[in-house]
């Protein structure tokens, strides 16, 4: 492991070194610290796998330990991250991984697939299968925005190195080295496609555990699968729900609202999201719905009035939702979200009847 990564992980381990996660109601979940991941046991054998920092893992996954085998949800953004997760997994179980679920096609949830061996069934929605198999995890708005643009971002960072103190410069150089390592590894990935594709739902019965893989409609992407554990009342949501505002660059915003109606209809007590910590405040489903509805309504009007995506991204006002989404600091909407909406409008997208 290069020094920069060791340092980054050591720093993150320090930040994350709490043995228990305390919930809003004072209840505590057990946590187990690995070298790169922290596992939080939200229900017996149901663990949220939280990577050390957004750059290292890219996304949060989950691990369901069954009587004789293990189901893993999402493979993180590089083979290195997936290998680190599997190494850390030994701290919570010695049972073999039998299933890997890809909740959706985004690179930060699929680029570690190749690390899982031939005995592991990789399960995803048919849409996700097509996207991964065709190489679309390495193309498009999301990949280009987060990974493809790294060389330009790094060029900008290098230009500023001369202005920094010795200490800050060293930190920035380590950051650059780490970003370039992730970029080079991402560019080299040949994404391993899912081996089992579903259209609507599959239920696994593993020992006494029931695990439902559900497609509830389009939302964050065109093929989001959630993992629902009815006995545990737990939902592993991928990016259909995150702790804050999810990425919207490949979204079907109005359909997402209806898909979240289906989520809200599940008997639910705890959500393990694809980004951010697990939570028990199920009302957050509705908070996201209200945000998406307002984003959609304002966008429809501004597009009809002939406004460009750039202008609209500055004009749309979602500050009424800042109470639930603290990252909203003023007027405006995320540019990737508005670009996506304009792309849909220009393609003649019609909101399906509810
Ligand atoms: Zn995503």
């Amino acid at each position: 492991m290069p020094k920069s990564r060791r340092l980054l992980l050591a720093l993150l381990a320090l930040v994350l070194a709490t043995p228990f996660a305390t919930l809003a109601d004072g209840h505590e979940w057990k946590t187990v610290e690995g070298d790169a991941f922290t596992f939080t046991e939200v229900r017996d054998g149901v663990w949220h796998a939280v990577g050390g920092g957004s750059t290292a893992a890219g996304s949060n996954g989950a691990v369901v330990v069954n009587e004789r085998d293990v189901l893993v949800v999402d493979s993180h953004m590089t083979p290195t991250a997936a290998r680190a997760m599997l190494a850390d997994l030994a701290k919570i179980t010695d049972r073999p991984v039998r299933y890997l679920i890809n909740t959706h096609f985004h690179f930060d949830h699929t680029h570690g697939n190749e690390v899982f061996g031939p005995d592991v069934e990789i399960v995803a929605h048919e849409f996700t299968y097509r996207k991964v198999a065709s190489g679309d995890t390495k193309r498009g708005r999301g990949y280009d925005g987060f990974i493809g643009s790294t060389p330009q971002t790094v060029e900008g960072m290098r230009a500023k190195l001369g202005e920094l103190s010795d200490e800050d410069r060293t930190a920035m150089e380590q950051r650059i080295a780490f970003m370039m390592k992730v970029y080079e590894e991402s560019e080299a990935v040949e994404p391993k496609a899912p081996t089992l594709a579903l259209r609507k739902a599959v239920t696994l019965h593993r020992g006494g555990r029931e695990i439902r893989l559900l497609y509830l409609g389009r939302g964050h992407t065109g093929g989001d699968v959630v993992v629902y554990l009815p006995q545990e009342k737990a939902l592993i949501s991928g990016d259909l729900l995150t702790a804050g505002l999810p990425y919207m660059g490949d979204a079907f915003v109005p359909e997402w609202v209806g898909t979240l109606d289906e989520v809200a209809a599940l008997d639910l007590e705890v959500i393990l999201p694809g980004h951010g910590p697990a939570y028990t405040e199920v009302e957050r489903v509705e908070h996201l719905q209200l945000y998406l509805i307002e984003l959609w309504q304002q966008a429809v009007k501004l597009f009809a009035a002939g406004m460009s995506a750039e202008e609209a991204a500055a004009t749309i006002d979602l500050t009424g939702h800042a109470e639930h989404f603290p990252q909203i600091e003023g007027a405006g909407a995320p540019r990737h979200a508005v670009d996506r909406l304009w792309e849909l409008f220009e393609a003649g997208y019609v909101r399906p009847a509810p």
Side-chain angles (χ1 to χ4, degrees), residues 104 106 108-109 220-221 239 247 275:
H104 62 291
H106 284 154
D108 52 328
H109 300 257
H220 173 68
T221 69
D239 292 356
Y247 178 72
H275 299 274

Side-chain angles (χ1 to χ4, degrees), residues 51-74:
S54 58
T55 322
S59 66
N60 295 336
V63 174
V64 182
V65 180
N66 303 313
E67 208 170 282
R68 272 190 283 276
D69 56 26
V70 175
L71 176 143
V72 169
V73 183
D74 286 338

